[in-house]
Amino acid sequence: MPRLSIWFVRASFIHLFLGLTFGGLILANKGIPFAPWAWNLFPAHMETLLLGWMVQLAMGISFWILPRFRSGPRRGNMNTIRAAVVLLNTGVVMVAIQSFTDVTWLVLTGRILETSAILLFIMASWRRVKPLEI
Amino acid sequence: MPLLTRTFIKTAMVYFVLALSLGILLTLGVPNSFFPIYIHLLVFGWLTQLIFGVIYWMFPKYSKELPRGHDVLSWIVYWTLNIGLILRAIAEPQQSSQAGNLFGVLLVASAVLQWLAGLVFITNTWQRVKEK
């Protein structure tokens, strides 16, 4: 597994843990109300599990297993992928933090970062979606 | 494909069918209190469980002696995930319509079990996220 996939996958595991913790608190509070603030965790629960866990894991595994190039950098432009990891995680954290603050621009900025991360990842991976022999 | 992976994937497929069937029932007028069950059967029962099973199978080996980490822990993940999810599917709609001690406690147990499944999975898999 290449180094950048390790970053993606380990970060996705951290988001999985956070997302399950938020979800667990929300669900437990439905059973026995003990934390009136628990519902405020819902946006963070969604963001960490959908983007932070599932999408990020898929990106990490794609970077690992998509066909490699025969010449030049075998997995394409590493700097672009590095930027995608950083932007995606910053974006998810910004959107998730919105649950705990009143800073309204965090969600918009976070979503722009997430979208930029996905665009960079697609740009860097596009030509790797190819037959093996090319 | 190891037994645990086959078990994860086949169980995930059962949840997939259950979730889609519940989706049909929701459009036919089943109360909306079942909507969170529908979403979690899909996302946790189907997708996440499928991912857990495939990761257990395909990720780099932990060691020569324990190629896939500690199997006991992986089985604990399987059972806590599934018992937790089933408890939720039983207790959440009941708790929505008539909140009571029993279903409330079952929901808390379900939350703890599902959280444990994730924690044990991450703990047992972390060292397998490596270059070779």
Side-chain angles (χ1 to χ4, degrees):
Chain A
M1 186 185 292
R3 178 68 49 100
L4 278 174
S5 288
I6 293 174
W7 289 14
F8 272 120
V9 174
R10 287 199 170 160
S12 80
F13 282 6
I14 292 168
H15 286 289
L16 173 65
F17 175 73
L18 291 173
L20 287 177
T21 304
F22 299 146
L25 286 169
I26 295 169
L27 185 61
N29 186 62
K30 269 189 193 179
I32 298 175
F34 66 96
W37 43 264
W39 263 111
N40 295 340
L41 299 172
F42 188 69
H45 171 60
M46 295 280 291
E47 201 70 18
T48 48
L49 286 180
L50 287 180
L51 268 290
W53 156 237
M54 287 201 173
V55 171
Q56 181 153 228
L57 181 77
M59 289 163 79
I61 302 298
S62 305
F63 182 71
W64 179 20
I65 65 171
L66 282 174
R68 285 168 284 178
F69 297 119
R70 296 211 156 188
S71 58
R74 310 233 31 218
R75 288 190 167 89
N77 189 329
M78 304 286 275
N79 285 332
T80 310
I81 300 291
R82 265 188 213 109
V85 181
V86 174
L87 290 174
L88 179 70
N89 285 286
T90 311
V92 171
V93 169
M94 287 177 90
V95 177
I97 281 177
Q98 174 66 37
S99 300
F100 308 99
T101 70
D102 293 328
V103 187
T104 49
W105 54 265
L106 277 175
V107 172
L108 177 63
T109 313
R111 296 243 190 264
I112 291 171
L113 294 183
E114 289 169 357
T115 308
S116 309
I118 302 300
L119 282 173
L120 287 177
F121 184 83
I122 290 173
M123 280 166 52
S125 307
W126 190 269
R127 288 190 312 120
R128 288 184 61 194
V129 185
K130 64 183 183 74
L132 279 175
E133 61 272 15
I134 294 176
Chain B
M1 187 186 287
L3 171 66
L4 188 64
T5 297
R6 299 199 304 271
T7 312
F8 266 124
I9 292 177
K10 287 184 176 173
T11 311
M13 287 171 170
V14 171
Y15 281 116
F16 195 21
V17 173
L18 288 175
L20 293 178
S21 306
L22 184 54
I24 293 171
L25 293 176
L26 280 165
T27 64
L28 292 175
V30 162
N32 274 341
S33 56
F34 282 85
F35 186 75
I37 309 296
Y38 164 68
I39 292 294
H40 285 88
L41 289 180
L42 269 182
V43 176
F44 206 54
W46 158 236
L47 283 174
T48 299
Q49 180 150 226
L50 182 78
I51 291 168
F52 281 8
V54 173
I55 283 179
Y56 174 80
W57 176 28
M58 304 286 282
F59 265 30
K61 302 281 183 279
Y62 176 72
S63 69
K64 248 183 193 167
E65 297 75 29
L66 295 170
R68 294 190 168 88
H70 299 274
D71 280 358
V72 175
L73 292 181
S74 298
W75 280 108
I76 288 173
V77 173
Y78 176 79
W79 286 111
T80 48
L81 187 159
N82 285 290
I83 294 171
L85 193 54
I86 290 167
L87 281 183
R88 179 184 192 153
I90 294 167
E92 193 171 13
Q94 298 292 333
Q95 180 74 355
S96 301
S97 59
Q98 46 176 51
N101 279 346
L102 173 64
F103 296 118
V105 170
L106 287 181
L107 273 186
V108 174
S110 156
V112 172
L113 287 170
Q114 291 178 83
W115 180 80
L116 266 181
L119 180 65
V120 176
F121 168 78
I122 292 166
T123 308
N124 197 32
T125 312
W126 190 268
Q127 293 298 326
R128 293 182 64 192
V129 185
K130 60 181 182 178
E131 294 192 36
K132 283 184 184 171

